[in-house]
Amino acid sequence: MGTSSSPRSSITPELRRQFQTEGYFVLPAIVPPAQVAMMRETCATFIKNYDAEMDAAGVTQQGINIKGSRYFIANRHRGSRLGEFIFSDLMAEICRATLGDSAYLFWEQFVVKGPEKGAKFSWHQDSGYVGTPHRPYITCWVTLDDVTEANGTVYILPYSRAGSRDLQPHVKNAETNDLEGYFGADPGDPVIVPAGSIAVFSSHVFHRSGFNTTPHWRRVYLPQYSAEPIRRADGSLVAFAEPFLEDGKRVAAAGPGDADTRAS
């Protein structure tokens, strides 16, 4: 798929129907190369900073980040160039096609699996981690490297094969602390796409991922968007609620200059 296609022409009526019936669609090689390069550079800077902090402390693990193995780098868009992608025309069109005319940035993070390392993740729905009733949101799984089964790509279980499109009970795995919600035999469909692709799926879609068994990094960026602010029973926000679309129009401009001024 050429990068010259507009986001609107890339999200076909067939893909919109697939999202409604199965909960996901995939856009291969849709992200402009310049934005892929920017996200790679941003990710590398954050990893370098984490490694320096661990070296200074004389440790190889900081929270859930393990030096050279895995990194979860969340909510660093403020003060960085990530807003150029998060609030871009492409992401606006994805939000319109899935959430409708209202969209908020809910969460964003890098998930990095090191060479011949990196954790696997059990079958879960993203909504299973929220802890309060909410309307399903979307995850945009953006590949910064080519992804394969060998390097720990994501596997998606369509609604029709999961047997439900609703949030299911999850239990904590005592060994990994992962939440798990599907225990069937279906292996799911692996997303095998080049760098610059996006798998878009509902927070009610079951998905999992495997180990990275290759000698190369596997880097993914994950912005998530909701149709409305997601709040706990006491009214506090679960994560972000940064306005992006209102009545179908963008209310957040793309670019680093806007990153520190959006409400949360």
Side-chain angles (χ1 to χ4, degrees):
M1 183 178 296
T3 56
S4 61
S5 300
S6 68
R8 186 172 297 278
S9 66
S10 297
I11 306 176
T12 64
E14 290 75 19
L15 290 177
R16 292 169 185 253
R17 283 194 292 271
Q18 181 178 318
F19 183 83
Q20 293 301 319
T21 58
E22 298 289 17
Y24 81 100
F25 59 77
V26 179
L27 299 171
I30 189 68
V31 182
Q35 289 192 335
V36 174
M38 177 273 293
M39 287 185 278
R40 286 173 174 166
E41 292 169 4
T42 302
C43 182
T45 297
F46 290 142
I47 289 175
K48 182 179 179 181
N49 292 342
Y50 269 120
D51 286 351
E53 290 175 5
M54 284 187 266
D55 288 345
V59 299
T60 59
Q61 183 167 352
Q62 184 184 68
I64 59 175
N65 296 310
I66 301 175
K67 186 178 179 181
S69 177
R70 69 181 191 189
Y71 299 85
F72 301 86
I73 306 168
N75 302 325
R76 301 300 181 89
H77 61 291
R78 292 173 173 169
S80 78
R81 294 182 58 195
L82 292 172
E84 297 173 19
F85 177 74
I86 294 170
F87 302 108
S88 64
D89 290 340
L90 171 60
M91 303 315 291
E93 189 56 31
I94 288 173
C95 287
R96 292 187 191 102
T98 55
L99 298 174
D101 288 341
S102 177
Y104 297 77
L105 176 67
F106 173 63
W107 189 261
E108 54 89 8
Q109 66 177 347
F110 290 99
V111 179
V112 179
K113 296 185 178 185
E116 300 177 350
K117 297 177 182 177
K120 67 176 183 178
F121 295 95
S122 303
W123 280 118
H124 67 281
Q125 299 162 298
D126 286 341
S127 282
Y129 282 88
V130 173
T132 190
H134 62 280
R135 177 176 169 182
Y137 55 93
I138 62 166
T139 294
C140 298
W141 200 81
V142 184
T143 62
L144 305 185
D145 301 289
D146 298 349
V147 292
T148 65
E149 291 186 87
N151 71 357
T153 193
V154 70
Y155 294 74
I156 293 176
L157 189 62
Y159 286 149
S160 61
R161 285 156 48 194
S164 175
R165 56 192 303 128
D166 298 324
L167 178 62
Q168 300 299 307
H170 286 59
V171 296
K172 182 176 288 189
N173 182 303
E175 181 179 347
T176 65
N177 288 324
D178 288 354
L179 293 183
E180 300 178 345
Y182 175 75
F183 305 94
D186 195 319
D189 295 330
V191 175
I192 301 175
V193 289
S197 302
I198 308 177
V200 180
F201 49 91
S202 166
S203 62
H204 280 189
V205 163
F206 276 107
H207 56 286
R208 66 179 179 92
S209 68
F211 292 106
N212 179 8
T213 62
T214 74
H216 308 289
W217 292 91
R218 196 229 68 179
R219 298 164 293 182
V220 171
Y221 185 57
L222 292 173
Q224 298 174 312
Y225 304 86
S226 60
E228 58 194 14
I230 299 178
R231 299 183 182 275
R232 302 180 183 89
D234 63 4
S236 63
L237 290 170
V238 170
F240 291 119
E242 298 192 14
F244 181 23
L245 299 179
E246 184 177 308
D247 295 327
K249 298 179 180 179
R250 279 177 28 181
V251 293
D258 305 294
D260 287 318
T261 61
R262 301 185 183 97
S264 61

